[in-house]
Amino acid sequence: MEQFKGHPRLPKFAVPKRYDITLKPDLTACSFGGSVAVHLDIVSDTRFIVLNAADLSVDAASLSFASSKVLFKPWKVETFEEDEILVLEFGETLPIGSGVLGIGFEGILNDKMKGFYRSTYEHNGKKKNMAVTQFAPVDARRCFPCWDEPAWKKTKWIGHLKTVSFQESPIMSTYLAAVVVGLFDYVEDHTSDGVKVRVYCQVGKANQGKFALDVAVKTLEFYRDYFAVPYSLPKLDMVAIPDFPGAMENYGLVTYQETALLFDEQHSAAANKQWVATAVAHELAHQWFGNLVTMEWWTLLWLNEGFATWVSYLATDSLFPEWKMWTKFLDEITGGLKLDGLEGSHPIEVEINHAAEVVEIFDAISYRKGASVIRMLQNYLGAECFQGSLAAYIKKHASSNAKTEDLWAALQEGSGEPVNKLMNSWTQQKGYPVISVKVKDQKLEFEQTQFYSSGSQGDGQWIVPITLCCGSYDVRKSFLLQKKFESFDIKEFLGCSVAETACRGSLCSWIKINVDQIGFYRVKYEQELSAALRNAIEKKHLSATDRFGILDDSFALSMARQQSFASLLTLLGAYREELDCTVLSNLIPISYKLATIAADAVPELLDLINQFFIGLFQYSAEQLGWEPKPGESQLDAMLRGDILTALAVFGHDLTIDEASRRFHAFLLDRNTPLLPPDIRKAVYVAVMQRVSMSNRSGYESLLRVYRETDLREEKTRILRSVASCPDPNIILEVLNFLLSSEVRSQDAVVGLSVSSKGQETAWTWLKDNWEHISKTWGSGYLIRFFFSSIVSPLASFEKVNEVDEFFKSHPNPSITRTLKQSIEREFLDRMDLVRSRFLDVGFDFRRIGLLVAISVPISLGSFVVGIWDPGGDRAFTVVEQYFAEFVKKVTEANLEGSPNSP
């Protein structure tokens, strides 16, 4: 038996064809028993049958063949827990042919949100258990013995204490099977071609499922037409589970945590409506791309998740065009770029050698980078060609397994383009390029180098679909950059002699590379091109997607020491009248990061830096106001809360005062119109800014609201807010509260984003509670949140070694890659290194402090002053120009006799 230990894949002596499963859950004892009859083919001589099983007690096993009356019973049965396999050894070689393997087993309904587990809910004031499954990626083996690999497709029957038999399923993989046993309400509808769709939820919450139901019906119809293949089952059930880690695309029985499926028209924020729509669209995309056509092995996870992420935006955009989903998609691209810029990243197609490694690739590379390169390819091939080729791929591989090469072959056949060659450079190597652009001797020069957040350069090379605009979105060019370096004559390439209105001399007024930020790469512009783009942003000549892209690239390049922080702060000034939700959703966290850098590098100037960012966001806040406006878009409703949250975090007293007033009104009347759902998080964060051990009332009040509400969205909203307190002692209380029985396991991770003053406290807390945390979350993807929220932000040389040493003495194989990435992020962001970066680029925070001081709002009006970079004459000229404007305004005000004149 020892020969089967340590192998990544199961041997292929036997091939499963069908499973008949009986499950008997005991919701009181939280245990279950069951049996499985596996119809299989013995395809080669063997005395062994090897399949997956974990946390199960096997009490009987036998093998029978239709061709023989002999009942084969194994003389030895052993489970290897480390490899999660069950090995049956028989006394003689098994006959070739079809047979039935019968196995009896028992297990525990665990509290780990994997396998066959228990969730809790309240009904008529009493706490009750329900039994739920979560099998992806490799946990069907915790419910019944099986060939638990995606390439082994099969059928399934299920039941509970009152025996219920279900229609035989289509051929499918084990990880897509599902069981839910509990008490539910539901709402129901049908698609135009007769598919029954239901949303199940806790009793009394049926109305909260109506929005998701409507989205599901319309999305099924959209995918039916887009893939040119109808949904393959007669019904679709979607279930809201109180304890559940995200959402899972089980075939015909899709499971969600409550916040991803339920929407309360009266009490839910606009952002949650968008979240529900995209979550439903994502999981239903899997019914085709993943369930009907399944990856052959977990190395190809991105085929499932990357595609479902991309097409969920396509579907949601078709249902809600006013949401501007392709602008929102930039968040996916940015998330992929951030992780893929680390030297500890991995290729889209990453080799998986053991089931324990699978959970770590459910990350931004598989989902976000995967989705981004698919969109880049669709844009290159054209939407119509892409759709037709995709439909052909689905039809060809329906009810079977496929590899990346199969998708490329379908797209290459449909388009006539070298898709395989083009895309292999993006899926089979980690990282991405930064494209440097400059003008030299009337030539436009492009150079690609591998981008690393550390500032070092890799040796990767890609075939890059380049798109560009020159002075106008009507003047476009596109080409494939296949070499490290290429140059083009401006007059011939851009047609400048023809497009005189878009040009200034021999150079266009502005040139934007990577139009609408569709390509998965960054762009670095020479100084003159960069200044022209900054001017175009100020004059509102660029689209929101391009404004987002320029900002994100500039920030990443500054952090990687490829451009100065001075140039970044100068660029920020161009966004002082920004009103686009998605652009500001990136500008805000960038501002938080820069404020954190300032706090560590020059704490004596932190107040000035905070005033700089307050000035940056005040125009947007004034335009949006506190009150919802009649007929305003959902995007404005979402933006209002984000902007007010930022002002509160930066210590804007007027915002915090108004938030406190509205919060007190809310405590007196939970239905007050002064605190609509879209601004509640902002108000809660503002309240926590003034909480301390000597002034706990705001914190205690929020805990009271948490305990009184039964709306899951409100509970998570409070959890996301309370750790923003600046008092480390309160933060410790919050972190301990997250581990209490009052907080569900999947909700605990949302409360981990502590304020900058609580980072050391959080690190100590993590070490003190690591045994419990590792036991509770250690084998699932949620463990990553503890690293990204607590480990990554740590900021000193000493902490790098301390973190490394701690986890060496507390190893967990399933988080090895995540730990490496977190330590790399910590190394990149630690302030000692950042301080040296400022010296490297000649940036002096003390000098900038004086300029920030005169850029804050004053009675004469607010304007942003350029930044003095001692290493650049041009930057100094900008400061002189702005200062001359400042003096001019002051002089005019004095002549007018303004009582507020300096």
Side-chain angles (χ1 to χ4, degrees):
M1 286 188 167
E2 296 293 319
Q3 64 179 300
F4 301 111
K5 294 176 66 175
H7 294 286
R9 305 287 292 270
L10 294 173
K12 297 182 179 180
F13 307 138
V15 178
K17 295 297 184 182
R18 165 181 167 153
Y19 293 77
D20 293 331
I21 302 171
T22 301
L23 294 174
K24 295 178 64 178
D26 185 331
L27 298 183
T28 302
C30 292
S31 62
F32 66 94
S35 62
V36 59
V38 189
H39 299 251
L40 49 72
D41 289 341
I42 303 297
V43 296
S44 61
D45 290 341
T46 181
R47 293 189 298 111
F48 299 93
I49 292 180
V50 184
L51 63 165
N52 293 114
D55 302 332
L56 295 176
S57 174
V58 175
D59 54 28
S62 64
L63 178 61
S64 62
F65 292 88
S67 60
S68 170
K69 293 183 179 180
V70 178
L71 183 66
F72 293 82
K73 290 191 175 184
W75 73 276
K76 188 175 183 181
V77 177
E78 187 167 349
T79 300
F80 294 99
E81 290 294 340
E82 185 175 341
D83 294 303
E84 298 180 346
I85 60 172
L86 173 67
V87 183
L88 310 177
E89 183 175 358
F90 296 84
E92 57 188 293
T93 300
L94 299 172
I96 303 295
S98 298
V100 178
L101 174 66
I103 302 176
F105 54 87
E106 294 180 345
I108 299 297
L109 293 174
N110 67 74
D111 60 356
K112 309 299 183 188
M113 293 188 292
K114 63 181 182 178
F116 200 18
Y117 71 93
R118 65 181 182 270
S119 179
T120 61
Y121 63 100
E122 286 192 5
H123 180 60
N124 294 333
K126 294 183 179 180
K127 188 175 182 180
K128 292 182 175 291
N129 293 323
M130 66 173 68
V132 184
T133 61
Q134 168 59 16
F135 289 166
V138 286
D139 289 314
R141 64 192 66 179
R142 300 179 194 281
C143 180
F144 59 96
C146 55
W147 277 256
D148 197 14
E149 296 179 358
W152 298 108
K153 287 195 162 190
K154 64 187 180 302
T155 58
K156 181 175 184 292
W157 291 65
I158 58 179
H160 54 63
L161 291 179
K162 182 173 75 171
T163 303
V164 177
S165 297
F166 293 84
Q167 178 180 333
E168 186 171 327
S169 74
I171 187 170
M172 58 188 278
S173 304
T174 48
Y175 78 93
L176 296 171
V179 180
V180 178
V181 185
L183 184 63
F184 297 96
D185 272 348
Y186 69 85
V187 287
E188 177 182 302
D189 200 353
H190 294 78
T191 64
S192 58
D193 53 345
V195 177
K196 181 192 294 184
V197 183
R198 285 180 174 178
V199 173
Y200 288 87
C201 54
Q202 289 189 52
V203 174
K205 294 186 176 182
N207 283 338
Q208 296 179 32
K210 289 182 177 179
F211 175 70
L213 177 66
D214 182 58
V215 170
V217 168
K218 293 177 180 176
T219 300
L220 283 179
E221 294 171 346
F222 175 85
Y223 289 151
R224 175 195 64 201
D225 297 338
Y226 188 80
F227 297 130
V229 174
Y231 175 65
S232 55
L233 297 176
K235 60 97 175 178
L236 170 71
D237 293 326
M238 303 194 300
V239 189
I241 305 296
D243 299 283
F244 197 80
M248 177 60 205
E249 68 269 18
N250 315 299
Y251 219 164
L253 177 58
V254 186
T255 42
Y256 302 80
Q257 63 177 239
E258 289 186 327
T259 55
L261 190 64
L262 303 183
F263 180 79
D264 187 314
E265 291 288 349
Q266 184 178 358
H267 298 103
S268 292
N272 199 61
K273 192 172 192 176
Q274 194 174 95
W275 162 231
V276 168
T278 53
V280 169
H282 180 106
E283 302 309 326
L284 298 196
H286 280 307
Q287 305 303 307
W288 284 264
F289 223 95
N291 298 9
L292 185 62
V293 179
T294 310
M295 62 197 167
E296 193 273 335
W297 177 238
W298 294 108
T299 291
L300 308 170
L301 173 70
W302 86 277
L303 268 181
N304 278 12
E305 301 302 347
F307 185 86
T309 300
W310 171 77
V311 82
S312 70
Y313 279 81
L314 189 72
T316 307
D317 183 63
S318 74
L319 299 183
F320 306 99
E322 69 277 11
W323 290 359
K324 301 178 182 178
M325 290 303 297
W326 290 116
T327 305
K328 178 67 175 173
F329 187 80
L330 293 171
D331 292 338
E332 307 291 348
I333 298 176
T334 298
L337 290 170
K338 284 180 179 177
L339 180 55
D340 211 26
L342 300 178
E343 295 183 47
S345 182
H346 62 81
I348 285 179
E349 292 188 356
V350 58
E351 193 62 37
I352 298 297
N353 297 309
H354 194 282
E357 301 172 11
V358 176
V359 70
E360 284 206 285
I361 63 168
F362 280 79
D363 61 9
I365 301 301
S366 297
Y367 284 75
R368 296 182 164 192
K369 182 180 180 181
S372 300
V373 299
I374 287 170
R375 188 181 185 217
M376 181 170 65
L377 178 60
Q378 185 228 21
N379 183 71
Y380 175 71
L381 298 180
E384 186 175 340
C385 170
F386 190 85
Q387 179 181 353
S389 302
L390 200 59
Y393 165 84
I394 293 287
K395 287 178 181 178
K396 181 176 181 179
H397 298 283
S399 299
S400 63
N401 298 84
K403 298 181 179 181
T404 301
E405 292 80 4
D406 298 320
L407 177 59
W408 296 159
L411 292 168
Q412 188 160 310
E413 182 178 344
S415 66
E417 295 285 343
V419 175
N420 193 63
K421 179 182 178 183
L422 168 64
M423 295 310 294
N424 281 347
S425 72
W426 294 96
T427 62
Q428 295 182 4
Q429 65 177 331
K430 69 179 180 180
Y432 58 87
V434 55
I435 309 299
S436 298
V437 187
K438 64 181 179 180
V439 176
K440 184 178 181 182
D441 299 329
Q442 303 303 310
K443 289 185 180 295
L444 191 61
E445 298 183 347
F446 297 84
E447 182 180 8
Q448 64 161 301
T449 54
Q450 184 168 2
F451 178 85
Y452 277 132
S453 299
S454 62
S456 61
Q457 291 186 359
D459 55 3
Q461 185 171 337
W462 290 260
I463 300 176
V464 188
I466 299 290
T467 57
L468 64 89
C469 279
C470 171
S472 164
Y473 285 100
D474 295 328
V475 183
R476 293 176 179 247
K477 286 287 182 181
S478 60
F479 68 96
L480 288 179
L481 179 64
Q482 303 192 51
K483 303 175 183 177
K484 284 277 189 179
F485 177 87
E486 290 190 43
S487 65
F488 302 89
D489 182 272
I490 292 177
K491 196 170 274 190
E492 294 179 6
F493 185 62
L494 298 177
C496 284
S497 60
V498 177
E500 291 294 340
T501 57
C503 297
R504 183 184 60 213
S506 61
L507 180 63
C508 293
S509 57
W510 53 265
I511 296 176
K512 171 63 174 69
I513 312 299
N514 196 8
V515 181
D516 287 329
Q517 214 65 13
I518 290 175
F520 194 77
Y521 54 88
R522 298 198 183 278
V523 182
K524 179 182 178 182
Y525 300 92
E526 69 165 354
Q527 190 176 55
E528 186 172 356
L529 293 175
S530 180
L533 285 171
R534 186 170 64 246
N535 183 58
I537 292 171
E538 290 178 336
K539 293 181 177 179
K540 300 180 172 55
H541 289 167
L542 299 182
S543 67
T545 49
D546 282 332
R547 298 197 303 274
F548 181 108
I550 292 167
L551 172 65
D552 196 65
D553 287 350
S554 180
F555 174 66
L557 290 166
S558 295
M559 293 298 292
R561 290 178 290 173
Q562 293 195 33
Q563 71 177 38
S564 70
F565 277 87
S567 62
L568 172 62
L569 290 173
T570 304
L571 175 65
L572 293 185
Y575 292 86
R576 62 188 179 276
E577 295 185 0
E578 182 60 62
L579 290 174
D580 182 85
C581 179
T582 307
V583 177
L584 283 165
S585 73
N586 197 25
L587 183 60
I588 290 169
I590 286 174
S591 300
Y592 291 158
K593 187 68 178 180
L594 292 174
T596 301
I597 292 173
D600 282 280
V602 278
E604 68 276 14
L605 293 178
L606 183 58
D607 287 343
L608 290 173
I609 298 298
N610 285 342
Q611 287 298 317
F612 175 80
F613 290 122
I614 288 171
L616 189 59
F617 295 119
Q618 269 195 299
Y619 176 84
S620 303
E622 290 168 359
Q623 294 301 305
L624 290 165
W626 282 84
E627 303 293 340
K629 296 178 175 61
E632 73 177 4
S633 71
Q634 173 166 303
L635 297 180
D636 282 346
M638 294 166 58
L639 177 57
R640 180 178 292 109
D642 291 342
I643 289 291
L644 293 174
T645 300
L647 288 174
V649 169
F650 287 122
H652 188 234
D653 288 330
L654 293 179
T655 298
I656 296 175
D657 290 343
E658 179 62 14
S660 299
R661 183 183 76 85
R662 290 170 180 263
F663 183 63
H664 289 306
F666 172 70
L667 294 178
L668 296 174
D669 175 12
R670 300 298 165 82
N671 295 314
T672 177
L674 289 175
L675 199 57
D678 290 320
I679 64 169
R680 284 191 186 176
K681 183 191 173 187
V683 167
Y684 297 163
V685 168
V687 166
M688 289 303 299
Q689 300 313 298
R690 291 179 178 168
V691 166
S692 64
M693 291 299 288
S694 59
N695 180 21
R696 299 172 53 90
S697 61
Y699 175 51
E700 300 291 352
S701 296
L702 277 172
L703 288 183
R704 187 167 71 251
V705 175
Y706 177 91
R707 289 165 176 145
E708 291 174 358
T709 184
D710 65 348
L711 185 67
R712 178 68 54 233
E713 179 187 339
E714 178 75 341
K715 287 183 180 292
T716 57
R717 191 154 45 215
I718 292 170
L719 293 177
R720 292 180 192 278
S721 306
V722 287
S724 64
C725 177
D727 189 322
N729 294 308
I730 295 292
I731 288 173
L732 182 59
E733 286 192 29
V734 170
L735 293 172
N736 287 331
F737 179 71
L738 296 178
L739 300 184
S740 73
S741 59
E742 292 189 71
V743 180
R744 295 182 184 272
S745 291
Q746 83 271 8
D747 292 342
V749 297
V750 307
L752 294 172
S753 297
V754 303
S755 70
S756 58
K757 294 183 179 179
Q759 289 173 355
E760 183 63 35
T761 298
W763 169 232
T764 301
W765 170 85
L766 183 69
K767 291 185 291 183
D768 292 344
N769 293 278
W770 180 247
E771 184 176 349
H772 170 73
I773 291 169
S774 183
K775 181 180 178 181
T776 305
W777 291 277
S779 59
Y781 78 94
L782 293 178
I783 191 71
R784 290 204 297 263
F785 288 92
F786 289 90
F787 291 97
S788 61
S789 299
I790 294 177
V791 176
S792 294
L794 295 173
S796 71
F797 283 113
E798 295 77 13
K799 283 292 178 289
V800 174
N801 294 328
E802 189 178 325
V803 168
D804 193 31
E805 289 301 317
F806 178 80
F807 287 107
K808 279 181 180 177
S809 61
H810 299 80
N812 185 327
S814 65
I815 58 174
T816 302
R817 187 190 304 274
T818 303
L819 175 61
K820 181 179 179 182
Q821 292 167 350
S822 292
I823 291 178
E824 184 180 348
R825 283 195 189 98
E826 178 189 342
F827 177 82
L828 292 172
D829 293 347
R830 67 181 189 263
M831 294 308 116
D832 290 324
L833 180 59
V834 171
R835 194 192 309 271
S836 72
R837 288 181 185 171
F838 292 142
L839 297 177
D840 288 344
V841 300
F843 180 58
D844 187 337
F845 256 125
R846 291 176 180 10
R847 289 175 180 161
I848 200 64
L850 298 175
L851 299 174
V852 170
I854 61 172
S855 72
V856 300
I858 56 176
S859 59
L860 299 176
S862 174
F863 56 94
V864 177
V865 176
I867 306 305
W868 180 12
D869 177 355
D873 294 336
R874 178 175 174 78
F876 185 76
T877 301
V878 171
V879 172
E880 288 184 314
Q881 291 171 347
Y882 274 108
F883 193 76
E885 180 182 347
F886 175 78
V887 172
K888 183 173 182 288
K889 285 194 174 189
V890 171
T891 304
E892 290 172 351
N894 280 332
L895 290 174
E896 293 167 2
S898 169
N900 296 319
S901 301

